[in-house]
Amino acid sequence: PRSTLDRSSAASDVYKRQEKEFSTLTVKNGNFECVGVMHEQDPSTFEVWTHQHHYVPQIKEIPVDAKALVPDEELADEDLTQLFMSLVGALAWLVLTMPSICIYVAYLQRQTKALNLGHVRRANRLLRWIRRNLKRLGVYFRRLDTPLRVITLSDSAFKAQDYQGLVMRGCIVLLAEACQPSSGVSTPALVPGQEVKCQVLDWYSRKHSRVVRSTYAAELLSLLDAVGQGNLIATAIDEVQCGAATARQLLDRHAECRRAVQHDAAVDAKAVFDGVTAEQPKTPAEKPLFLHALAMREYLESGHVDRLWWLDTLAMLADGMTKGSVEREALIKVCQLGIWQVVGMQPIFKQLR
């Protein structure tokens, strides 16, 4: 709904500046829809629940009951193909607030060139799963206690095939409370069983844009891509807290470790962690990857990444962004409750600056 600007509020100055630069603003408060996403604000805590529950009932399953006895390998006709593309497009729109379905949508999007009935049935199955879990699917924005840090979780999945390979990369960027260990030392602690309070800021699940020949290559290149995304978000948060700055000034703040929030990266590939953080980095079997490992190391030495963590695969949230067989509960919980459960072996970190 349209509302008048509250000139007595702290936001009124921001509104006036924006109106001067652009045009008259339409301000929406409380509960409203923006770009297809519902925003529901708690009037007492001011926390915001974002979801697309209103959109899901509009998505219809593809009718395939008449082909119940037809095997999955049967190629779909033109009509089914058009319905499938429409359904997958609708499911892709839900990725805006449902990170847990990203890997399945990415799979379905790859099937349009050789579509069969099995793909159509899987799309219907995904829609039914979304309907069953609808009330839990969305992203909650809660208040966090300072100090805060950006944590970029990276994972990759490598599957070698006879004539082609499939390599997926996934990333989740969190804004998390910088928990301290019980001993009182200044380094942040992650321990098994810990529940880290955090806020999901960004995520993706997509194919690698470069050719890779091993799991090591897939994990290392995925980590570099994810760190680039995390650095951009950390820069944005730094500018929000410290005021507008030029690109050169922002780079200087990073180089001098004067950012408002620190940036950590995490990977579950021990070989990548050891190769990047070793005192004397060794050339990997795939020699061109040595430069990529050094590039990641330079991120750590320059302060663009403050710490590199190794996590057990059980604690790696991004694992669900690259593998469909992984349980969805961890992804749903971190989005709905803002809780990242650290499980498995003791996390390890190294800091090179």
Side-chain angles (χ1 to χ4, degrees), residues 45-64:
T45 64
F46 303 106
E47 296 173 343
V48 180
W49 171 239
T50 62
H51 62 82
Q52 293 167 282
H53 299 171
H54 64 297
Y55 178 61
V56 172
Q58 303 176 37
I59 307 175
K60 306 301 180 184
E61 289 188 37
I62 300 175
V64 290

Side-chain angles (χ1 to χ4, degrees), residues 34-90:
C34 181
V35 200
V37 177
M38 287 298 301
H39 297 66
E40 298 179 357
Q41 186 176 49
D42 188 301
S44 58
T45 64
F46 303 106
E47 296 173 343
V48 180
W49 171 239
T50 62
H51 62 82
Q52 293 167 282
H53 299 171
H54 64 297
Y55 178 61
V56 172
Q58 303 176 37
I59 307 175
K60 306 301 180 184
E61 289 188 37
I62 300 175
V64 290
D65 293 343
K67 300 179 182 291
L69 301 180
V70 180
D72 287 347
E73 295 74 19
E74 181 78 15
L75 293 178
D77 55 32
E78 185 176 349
D79 291 337
L80 274 181
T81 300
Q82 293 298 322
L83 291 173
F84 178 83
M85 294 179 68
S86 177
L87 175 56
V88 172

Side-chain angles (χ1 to χ4, degrees), residues 220-239:
L220 177 58
L221 296 178
S222 177
L223 177 60
L224 277 172
D225 291 339
V227 163
Q229 188 79 355
N231 265 329
L232 182 62
I233 293 174
T235 300
I237 296 175
D238 182 44
E239 193 170 17

Side-chain angles (χ1 to χ4, degrees), residues 72-179:
D72 287 347
E73 295 74 19
E74 181 78 15
L75 293 178
D77 55 32
E78 185 176 349
D79 291 337
L80 274 181
T81 300
Q82 293 298 322
L83 291 173
F84 178 83
M85 294 179 68
S86 177
L87 175 56
V88 172
L91 293 173
W93 182 249
L94 297 178
V95 169
L96 285 173
T97 57
M98 301 179 189
S100 54
I101 69 170
C102 284
I103 185 62
Y104 305 116
V105 173
Y107 166 79
L108 294 172
Q109 289 175 325
R110 297 195 302 270
Q111 312 306 323
T112 54
K113 292 185 178 179
L115 184 66
N116 60 38
L117 284 176
H119 299 140
V120 176
R121 288 165 178 155
R122 292 186 184 101
N124 284 341
R125 189 179 308 150
L126 176 58
L127 178 57
R128 290 194 294 269
W129 182 88
I130 293 172
R131 289 173 176 169
R132 288 196 304 270
N133 298 275
L134 186 58
K135 295 300 181 182
R136 305 178 63 205
L137 299 178
V139 179
Y140 216 117
F141 289 84
R142 286 183 167 86
R143 185 186 301 275
L144 300 175
D145 295 329
T146 56
L148 302 174
R149 65 176 55 247
V150 173
I151 303 179
T152 300
L153 305 176
S154 168
D155 189 57
S156 186
F158 176 82
K159 182 179 181 181
Q161 298 174 341
D162 292 337
Y163 300 103
Q164 62 181 354
L166 174 62
V167 188
M168 297 295 297
R169 54 192 171 105
C171 167
I172 294 183
V173 181
L174 306 175
L175 182 65
E177 294 182 357
C179 302

